[in-house]
Amino acid sequence: MTVAVVPASFDPITCGHVDIVKRAAKLFDRVVVAVYARPRKNVMFSLDERLDMVRESLKDVNRVQVEQFDGLVATFARDVGADVLVRGLRAVSDFESEFQQSTMNRQMAPGLEVICMFASLDFGFLSSSIIKDIAENGGDVAGMVPAPVARRLRELHQGIAMSGPSKR
Ligand code: ADP
Protein backbone atom coordinates (compact mmCIF):
# COMPACT_ATOMS: atom_id res chain seq x y z
CA MET A 1 0.00 0.00 0.00
CA THR A 2 1.44 3.38 -1.00
CA VAL A 3 0.68 6.28 1.30
CA ALA A 4 1.19 9.90 0.23
CA VAL A 5 1.28 13.04 2.35
CA VAL A 6 0.17 16.42 0.96
CA PRO A 7 1.31 19.11 3.42
CA ALA A 8 0.38 22.81 3.40
CA SER A 9 -0.84 25.63 5.62
CA PHE A 10 -4.17 25.74 3.74
CA ASP A 11 -4.81 29.34 4.79
CA PRO A 12 -7.27 28.78 3.15
CA ILE A 13 -7.45 25.69 0.93
CA THR A 14 -7.90 26.67 -2.75
CA CYS A 15 -9.14 24.82 -5.83
CA GLY A 16 -5.46 24.39 -6.75
CA HIS A 17 -4.83 22.40 -3.56
CA VAL A 18 -8.02 20.37 -4.07
CA ASP A 19 -6.93 19.55 -7.62
CA ILE A 20 -3.54 18.25 -6.43
CA VAL A 21 -5.18 16.13 -3.67
CA LYS A 22 -7.72 14.63 -6.10
CA ARG A 23 -5.01 13.77 -8.60
CA ALA A 24 -2.86 12.25 -5.85
CA ALA A 25 -5.86 10.18 -4.67
CA LYS A 26 -5.98 8.57 -8.12
CA LEU A 27 -2.33 7.54 -7.87
CA PHE A 28 -1.94 6.40 -4.27
CA ASP A 29 -3.81 4.02 -1.97
CA ARG A 30 -4.15 6.56 0.81
CA VAL A 31 -3.56 10.31 0.88
CA VAL A 32 -2.95 12.08 4.18
CA VAL A 33 -3.64 15.80 3.84
CA ALA A 34 -1.47 17.42 6.50
CA VAL A 35 -2.41 20.85 7.82
CA TYR A 36 0.47 22.76 9.44
CA ALA A 37 -0.63 23.56 12.99
CA ARG A 38 1.78 26.47 13.40
CA PRO A 39 3.08 27.78 10.08
CA ARG A 40 5.93 30.25 10.29
CA LYS A 41 4.03 32.82 8.30
CA ASN A 42 1.08 34.70 9.78
CA VAL A 43 -2.19 33.00 9.09
CA MET A 44 -5.64 34.49 8.64
CA PHE A 45 -7.53 31.41 9.84
CA SER A 46 -7.09 29.45 13.07
CA LEU A 47 -6.00 25.83 12.92
CA ASP A 48 -9.57 24.65 13.62
CA GLU A 49 -10.97 26.86 10.87
CA ARG A 50 -8.35 25.63 8.39
CA LEU A 51 -9.00 21.99 9.34
CA ASP A 52 -12.78 22.44 9.01
CA MET A 53 -12.45 24.05 5.58
CA VAL A 54 -10.07 21.32 4.36
CA ARG A 55 -12.36 18.55 5.67
CA GLU A 56 -15.49 20.13 4.17
CA SER A 57 -13.76 20.70 0.83
CA LEU A 58 -12.44 17.14 0.54
CA LYS A 59 -15.33 15.22 2.08
CA ASP A 60 -16.29 13.59 -1.23
CA VAL A 61 -12.78 12.50 -2.19
CA ASN A 62 -12.15 8.83 -1.48
CA ARG A 63 -9.04 7.51 0.27
CA VAL A 64 -8.24 10.92 1.76
CA GLN A 65 -7.78 11.66 5.45
CA VAL A 66 -7.09 15.06 6.98
CA GLU A 67 -4.69 15.50 9.92
CA GLN A 68 -2.96 18.37 11.61
CA PHE A 69 0.76 18.30 12.23
CA ASP A 70 3.50 20.20 13.96
CA GLY A 71 7.25 20.03 13.54
CA LEU A 72 9.05 18.51 10.60
CA VAL A 73 7.03 17.20 7.70
CA ALA A 74 9.63 14.42 7.30
CA THR A 75 8.88 13.23 10.86
CA PHE A 76 5.13 13.41 10.31
CA ALA A 77 5.47 11.46 7.04
CA ARG A 78 7.43 8.73 8.82
CA ASP A 79 4.90 8.61 11.69
CA VAL A 80 1.96 8.02 9.33
CA GLY A 81 3.92 5.46 7.30
CA ALA A 82 4.07 7.58 4.15
CA ASP A 83 6.22 6.58 1.19
CA VAL A 84 5.68 9.75 -0.80
CA LEU A 85 5.46 13.49 -0.22
CA VAL A 86 3.38 15.26 -2.87
CA ARG A 87 3.91 18.91 -3.73
CA GLY A 88 2.42 21.17 -6.39
CA LEU A 89 4.46 23.19 -8.87
CA ARG A 90 2.86 26.30 -10.30
CA ALA A 91 5.55 28.45 -11.83
CA VAL A 92 9.30 28.34 -12.22
CA SER A 93 9.38 30.39 -9.04
CA ASP A 94 8.07 27.40 -7.05
CA PHE A 95 10.86 25.19 -8.34
CA GLU A 96 13.74 26.53 -6.33
CA SER A 97 12.12 26.28 -2.92
CA GLU A 98 10.50 22.93 -3.70
CA PHE A 99 13.84 21.54 -4.86
CA GLN A 100 15.56 22.80 -1.73
CA GLN A 101 12.83 21.45 0.57
CA SER A 102 12.70 18.08 -1.18
CA THR A 103 16.45 17.63 -0.83
CA MET A 104 16.27 18.39 2.89
CA ASN A 105 13.22 16.18 3.44
CA ARG A 106 14.79 13.22 1.69
CA GLN A 107 17.94 13.67 3.72
CA MET A 108 15.94 13.68 6.96
CA ALA A 109 13.70 10.80 5.90
CA PRO A 110 15.69 8.47 3.65
CA GLY A 111 13.30 6.41 1.59
CA LEU A 112 10.69 9.15 1.44
CA GLU A 113 10.15 10.01 -2.22
CA VAL A 114 9.13 13.57 -3.13
CA ILE A 115 6.86 13.99 -6.13
CA CYS A 116 5.94 17.35 -7.65
CA MET A 117 2.79 17.57 -9.72
CA PHE A 118 2.34 20.42 -12.17
CA ALA A 119 -0.56 22.73 -11.38
CA SER A 120 -3.52 22.36 -13.73
CA LEU A 121 -3.93 25.10 -16.31
CA ASP A 122 -6.97 26.58 -14.56
CA PHE A 123 -5.26 26.89 -11.17
CA GLY A 124 -1.65 27.68 -11.98
CA PHE A 125 -2.08 31.31 -10.95
CA LEU A 126 -3.85 30.56 -7.67
CA SER A 127 -2.37 30.97 -4.23
CA SER A 128 -3.90 31.34 -0.78
CA SER A 129 -2.46 34.85 -0.49
CA ILE A 130 -4.02 36.00 -3.77
CA ILE A 131 -7.36 34.64 -2.56
CA LYS A 132 -7.05 36.59 0.71
CA ASP A 133 -6.16 39.78 -1.19
CA ILE A 134 -9.12 39.45 -3.54
CA ALA A 135 -11.57 38.62 -0.73
CA GLU A 136 -10.27 41.44 1.52
CA ASN A 137 -10.89 43.90 -1.27
CA GLY A 138 -14.43 42.76 -1.92
CA GLY A 139 -13.69 40.61 -4.99
CA ASP A 140 -15.45 37.40 -5.92
CA VAL A 141 -13.43 34.23 -5.31
CA ALA A 142 -16.08 31.78 -6.55
CA GLY A 143 -14.47 29.12 -8.72
CA MET A 144 -11.07 29.71 -7.14
CA VAL A 145 -11.84 28.18 -3.76
CA PRO A 146 -14.23 25.41 -2.69
CA ALA A 147 -17.74 26.60 -1.74
CA PRO A 148 -17.23 26.27 2.06
CA VAL A 149 -14.18 28.55 1.82
CA ALA A 150 -15.96 31.12 -0.35
CA ARG A 151 -18.77 31.19 2.22
CA ARG A 152 -16.41 31.74 5.16
CA LEU A 153 -14.52 34.49 3.35
CA ARG A 154 -17.80 36.21 2.52
CA GLU A 155 -19.00 35.97 6.14
CA LEU A 156 -15.65 37.22 7.43
CA HIS A 157 -15.48 40.24 5.16
CA GLN A 158 -19.15 41.11 5.52
CA GLY A 159 -18.59 41.04 9.29
CA ILE A 160 -15.54 43.29 8.95
CA ALA A 161 -17.36 45.72 6.67
CA MET A 162 -20.06 46.08 9.33
CA SER A 163 -17.79 46.26 12.38
CA GLY A 164 -14.63 47.99 11.17
CA PRO A 165 -11.11 46.74 10.41
CA SER A 166 -10.14 43.19 11.29
CA LYS A 167 -7.55 42.22 13.89
CA ARG A 168 -6.69 39.15 11.80
P1 ADP B 1 2.35 26.68 2.43
O1 ADP B 1 1.96 28.01 2.92
O2 ADP B 1 2.20 25.62 3.42
O3 ADP B 1 3.66 26.62 1.66
P2 ADP B 1 1.11 26.72 -0.07
O4 ADP B 1 -0.31 26.74 -0.40
O5 ADP B 1 1.89 27.92 -0.42
O6 ADP B 1 1.20 26.36 1.43
O7 ADP B 1 1.83 25.49 -0.76
C1 ADP B 1 1.64 24.16 -0.38
C2 ADP B 1 1.83 23.30 -1.59
O8 ADP B 1 0.69 23.43 -2.43
C3 ADP B 1 3.05 23.67 -2.43
O9 ADP B 1 3.62 22.50 -2.97
C4 ADP B 1 2.44 24.51 -3.52
O10 ADP B 1 3.22 24.53 -4.68
C5 ADP B 1 1.12 23.80 -3.71
N1 ADP B 1 0.11 24.68 -4.31
C6 ADP B 1 -0.37 25.82 -3.80
N2 ADP B 1 -1.27 26.37 -4.65
C7 ADP B 1 -1.34 25.54 -5.73
C8 ADP B 1 -2.06 25.57 -6.95
N3 ADP B 1 -2.87 26.58 -7.25
N4 ADP B 1 -1.88 24.54 -7.82
C9 ADP B 1 -1.03 23.55 -7.52
N5 ADP B 1 -0.30 23.47 -6.39
C10 ADP B 1 -0.46 24.45 -5.50
Side-chain angles (χ1 to χ4, degrees):
M1 185 164 103
T2 312
V3 179
V5 169
V6 183
S9 318
F10 298 109
D11 184 49
I13 185 168
T14 70
C15 290
H17 294 122
V18 172
D19 180 60
I20 294 288
V21 173
K22 283 184 173 169
R23 287 162 57 197
K26 287 187 190 154
L27 295 175
F28 304 106
D29 299 302
R30 187 158 67 92
V31 175
V32 182
V33 175
V35 182
Y36 284 115
R38 286 183 299 169
R40 275 180 37 208
K41 53 190 168 192
N42 285 337
V43 283
M44 172 180 262
F45 293 101
S46 70
L47 173 62
D48 285 343
E49 287 172 318
R50 288 181 286 124
L51 279 166
D52 283 350
M53 286 188 281
V54 172
R55 290 200 170 107
E56 287 168 40
S57 305
L58 297 173
K59 67 178 184 342
D60 297 327
V61 189
N62 289 334
R63 295 194 293 277
V64 169
Q65 79 188 67
V66 180
E67 305 284 349
Q68 67 180 73
F69 82 104
D70 216 349
L72 293 173
V73 71
T75 309
F76 175 80
R78 190 195 56 212
D79 291 349
V80 296
D83 313 278
V84 178
L85 194 61
V86 174
R87 303 287 293 171
L89 272 188
R90 286 159 293 189
V92 180
S93 52
D94 276 346
F95 177 83
E96 201 172 334
S97 67
E98 293 297 340
F99 183 54
Q100 195 178 22
Q101 281 178 47
S102 76
T103 309
M104 291 316 295
N105 281 323
R106 288 181 58 215
Q107 201 152 337
M108 285 182 286
L112 180 69
E113 199 51 74
V114 181
I115 291 185
C116 288
M117 298 174 84
F118 288 110
S120 294
L121 198 56
D122 287 346
F123 307 126
F125 65 96
L126 266 188
S127 68
S128 299
S129 33
I130 286 178
I131 293 297
K132 286 180 279 192
D133 279 351
I134 296 173
E136 263 170 19
N137 289 293
D140 184 9
V141 291
M144 300 179 204
V145 291
V149 178
R151 195 185 57 240
R152 258 168 222 253
L153 284 166
R154 247 191 334 268
E155 286 165 4
L156 183 64
H157 293 297
Q158 275 165 4
I160 290 167
M162 289 166 73
S163 63
S166 157
K167 289 196 205 76
R168 284 176 190 258

